[in-house]
Amino acid sequence: LAHEWIQCKDEILYGEFVRIDPSAVKVKLHTFTETMQRLADFFASQPRPRQVLHSLSLELTELRVLLPVITSLRNPGLRERHWQKIGEAIGQTIHTNQMKDISLSTMNERYPFVAHLPAIQEISEIAA
């Protein structure tokens, strides 16, 4: 499970953002969460496996926080004008030509999307 999670997490965080499928990420997060809950019950009396599961659970939570950002920014209806509005909402200029090769991890470091999520979601909904 840990190996599968690391591969999945790396693909989402460090792969090309434009290739992320928000629906697939949501399914993967749900599947990993359910599996970890079952394993937590199974390993209830074993401290080391529970520590590993706790660490994985924290990583899942961190990625779950980014899911609304992924969903909003991977909206196929977003056009240049929407990206400009998102840039205004976060107080930064977003160069869409640079978005092709950027990862979610880099985006998350460069832009405060999570802090401005409600405004981004609103813009994304208008674009849809």
Side-chain angles (χ1 to χ4, degrees):
L1 176 71
H3 179 69
E4 283 180 59
W5 167 246
I6 290 169
Q7 284 182 318
C8 178
K9 180 185 75 166
D10 285 353
E11 180 182 311
I12 294 166
L13 286 176
Y14 305 110
E16 292 179 24
F17 182 73
V18 296
R19 295 183 184 263
I20 295 176
D21 177 357
S23 299
V25 172
K26 184 176 181 179
V27 169
K28 287 177 184 179
L29 290 176
H30 180 73
T31 302
F32 276 108
T33 300
E34 284 185 341
T35 302
M36 287 181 32
Q37 288 172 345
R38 286 194 306 271
L39 288 173
D41 293 339
F42 183 77
F43 291 119
S45 63
Q46 299 177 18
R48 180 65 183 135
R50 291 205 36 100
Q51 287 175 342
V52 171
L53 288 172
H54 179 71
S55 295
L56 293 175
S57 177
L58 292 175
E59 290 181 9
L60 263 169
T61 300
E62 289 174 15
L63 205 51
R64 207 175 295 118
V65 167
L66 294 175
L67 184 58
V69 172
I70 295 168
T71 303
S72 295
L73 297 181
R74 286 292 296 129
N75 177 349
L78 288 176
R79 302 290 180 254
E80 184 68 33
R81 66 183 180 275
H82 300 113
W83 284 104
Q84 287 175 341
K85 287 183 181 184
I86 291 170
E88 290 169 9
I90 66 171
Q92 293 188 25
T93 302
I94 299 174
H95 302 283
T96 55
N97 59 335
Q98 296 174 351
M99 299 298 273
K100 296 175 188 152
D101 302 322
I102 198 169
S103 69
L104 177 61
S105 177
T106 301
M107 285 176 59
N108 197 39
E109 292 170 6
R110 193 175 293 172
Y111 304 111
F113 290 131
V114 175
H116 299 279
L117 186 58
I120 293 168
Q121 286 175 315
E122 185 177 324
I123 295 164
S124 183
E125 286 173 14
I126 291 169

